[in-house]
Amino acid sequence: MTPFGFTSTASEVLAGVELAGQRALVTGATSGVGVETARALAAAGAEVVLGVRNVDAGKQTATAIGNENVSVARLDLADLASVRSFVADWDGPLHMLVNNAGIMAVPELTRTPEGHELQFAVNFLGHFALTVGLHDALAAAGGARIVSLSSNAHQFGPPVFDDLDWIYRPYHPIGAYADSKTATALLAVEATRRWSDEGIFANAVHPGAIATNLQQHTGGLRTPVERRKTVEQGAATSVLAAASPLLDGIGGRYFEDCNEAEVLTGAPVMFGGGVAPFALDPANAVRLWDLATGFIS
């Protein structure tokens, strides 16, 4: 538990935290929570790279942030060749990797050039390839953090390991999103198990319900008003996991509202909190990692 909560902002979480000399990569930082995450980390002194699909939009974001510590690089998470190119171009240590980019509720079944369902590919598989590809840079930091953005929607997506790409099941836009967000949580579990001896710790975070471009396919935010956050509040849990000394040596967990979430013991409730046991299960995490390794090799 931390002193922060539902209404805390990213700036409040990082008050007094000095990040000079540290490097951060934030994916999908052209709108919403990603922009505020990048802004808060840069304001605390970090050198921040925006990994974005649209470089022009990324440059506009960097200009709007108005901090010379912010730069832009092209990264298309739906294209594994783009991920490989980004990794090959990376030089030096990486202290904070914020796997922030995401898409939600794509109406029609859509596949990437490699044949993967689009939400699984962008939300999880591209980030998995990025994380694994940047392992040496993370290890070189001498104490790195990985932040894996999940969602409370994961509660409705227990792993279906034999059909991660919706080949055999009738496609369901929210179901595919839920599956991908369970996968992002499991990434944090297994990355911590494999790499904590190297000083690398990963956690999953649910930023909360924030009105952003993420809801472009859902007709807008459906969450009750009292459960909604601003982008400044939504980025708070991400920067907590990325940079707060309160989480030194902590990994493999799921955070929401700036605190570790309770593990659900019953059926999930729509718009409710907590983390499903299957999203923290070590066996699920190992199996997904092994399957994903095959997908990207």
Side-chain angles (χ1 to χ4, degrees):
M1 305 301 291
T2 79
F4 306 107
F6 181 91
T7 61
S8 298
T9 66
S11 295
E12 290 169 349
V13 168
L14 292 184
V17 176
E18 178 55 61
L19 299 178
Q22 298 194 37
R23 303 173 74 198
L25 168 60
V26 182
T27 68
T30 55
S31 65
V33 172
V35 175
E36 178 60 19
T37 299
R39 188 207 63 77
L41 293 173
E47 175 189 337
V48 181
V49 178
L50 311 181
V52 298
R53 183 173 58 85
N54 186 327
V55 173
D56 288 338
K59 290 179 178 178
Q60 292 175 14
T61 297
T63 299
I65 291 174
N67 190 311
E68 62 182 10
N69 290 332
V70 179
S71 61
V72 179
R74 187 178 186 279
L75 173 63
D76 184 352
L77 291 159
D79 182 355
L80 291 177
S82 174
V83 177
R84 294 187 191 101
S85 177
F86 182 94
V87 167
D89 288 341
W90 186 271
D91 183 43
L94 175 60
H95 300 81
M96 293 164 277
L97 171 57
V98 184
N99 291 326
N100 169 84
I103 55 174
M104 178 182 181
V106 177
E108 302 293 334
L109 176 60
T110 306
R111 299 198 182 279
T112 67
E114 291 85 9
H116 299 292
E117 189 277 317
L118 188 60
Q119 294 183 82
F120 177 76
V122 172
N123 297 347
F124 168 71
L125 191 59
H127 281 129
F128 174 81
L130 181 69
T131 301
V132 172
L134 291 173
H135 165 263
D136 290 350
L138 292 162
R145 305 269 190 95
I146 301 167
V147 183
S148 193
L149 263 72
S150 185
S151 166
N152 61 351
H154 84 273
Q155 299 169 2
F156 301 93
V160 181
F161 289 112
D162 293 328
D163 196 20
L164 294 171
D165 284 313
W166 292 78
I167 295 171
Y168 305 106
R169 292 175 288 169
Y171 177 71
H172 189 284
I174 294 297
Y177 178 70
D179 284 2
S180 73
K181 289 304 181 177
T182 292
T184 64
L186 292 171
L187 169 58
V189 174
E190 183 61 6
T192 298
R193 186 189 72 83
R194 287 174 178 257
W195 299 341
S196 59
D197 287 348
E198 300 174 85
I200 302 170
F201 290 88
N203 287 294
V205 303
H206 168 45
I210 307 103
T212 68
N213 291 339
L214 187 65
Q215 296 95 30
Q216 62 180 301
H217 297 305
T218 65
L221 197 60
R222 306 294 179 87
T223 307
V225 173
E226 66 274 12
R227 292 297 303 162
R228 298 181 186 181
K229 294 184 178 185
T230 65
V231 289
E232 293 82 5
Q233 293 168 338
T237 309
S238 291
V239 300
L240 176 88
S244 173
L246 296 172
L247 266 64
D248 283 348
I250 300 296
R253 307 188 191 187
Y254 179 102
F255 287 81
E256 60 188 6
D257 300 337
C258 295
N259 288 283
E260 186 175 359
E262 293 186 5
V263 178
L264 296 175
T265 57
V269 177
M270 185 65 69
F271 307 122
V275 56
F278 55 72
L280 296 177
D281 184 85
N284 284 345
V286 170
R287 186 173 182 186
L288 179 64
W289 188 287
D290 290 344
L291 286 169
T293 300
F295 289 155
I296 68 171
S297 59

